[in-house]
Amino acid sequence: MVTISDDAARTAFSPEEFCRRNGISMATFWKLRDAGRAPQLMYLGRIIRISVEAERQWQRERENPAPKEAAEIARARKMWRAMGRKAGLAAAASPKHVSKQGKRKRLKQPRT
């Protein structure tokens, strides 16, 4: 007998369920919403739901971002890369860096 999971049979999910299904945090979800990049939301009074169709459309848009969004993503990646490089160089220049601690004694392993 073939069984359908609860998620497969449902047509809409809460933001928490959406985040769990897509591997993102709630904080990231709300940041995406504030930036206008979250999936279409359905409001039922105080209840918020995301349809399966809206989830699929959102996934397609993330896979193929619009040119403006792609440029924004590229700028952000470049900025993070530069920040990481700067942090790495600062760490390596520190007198506490592992490369400046001298050689550590290694235990001799018996040869087999």
Side-chain angles (χ1 to χ4, degrees):
M1 180 173 139
V2 177
T3 59
I4 299 174
S5 72
D6 290 339
D7 280 359
R10 294 178 58 189
T11 59
F13 302 94
S14 69
E16 292 84 4
E17 293 167 324
F18 170 82
C19 290
R20 191 170 36 254
R21 286 169 54 93
N22 289 281
I24 61 172
S25 69
M26 284 300 298
T28 299
F29 174 80
W30 295 117
K31 286 177 188 176
L32 288 171
R33 187 193 72 160
D34 292 345
R37 293 174 32 206
Q40 182 68 40
L41 303 177
M42 295 187 296
Y43 293 93
L44 309 166
R46 293 179 56 188
I47 298 171
I48 300 173
R49 292 290 181 256
I50 301 163
S51 68
V52 173
E53 293 81 17
E55 179 181 34
R56 287 186 188 135
Q57 180 182 356
W58 177 81
Q59 289 169 340
R60 283 190 298 274
E61 289 170 358
R62 300 292 63 80
E63 290 171 354
N64 302 304
K68 183 178 177 183
E69 185 179 348
E72 193 177 302
I73 291 168
R75 269 194 306 277
R77 285 183 177 165
K78 186 176 180 180
M79 180 191 71
W80 284 109
R81 193 177 309 118
M83 289 173 63
R85 179 169 168 71
K86 183 177 179 181
L89 291 171
S94 169
K96 294 182 179 180
H97 191 266
V98 68
S99 66
K100 297 185 175 87
Q101 298 298 312
K103 293 186 178 181
R104 299 175 191 255
K105 293 182 181 179
R106 292 186 183 186
L107 295 175
K108 291 187 178 182
Q109 298 291 328
R111 294 184 184 187
T112 57

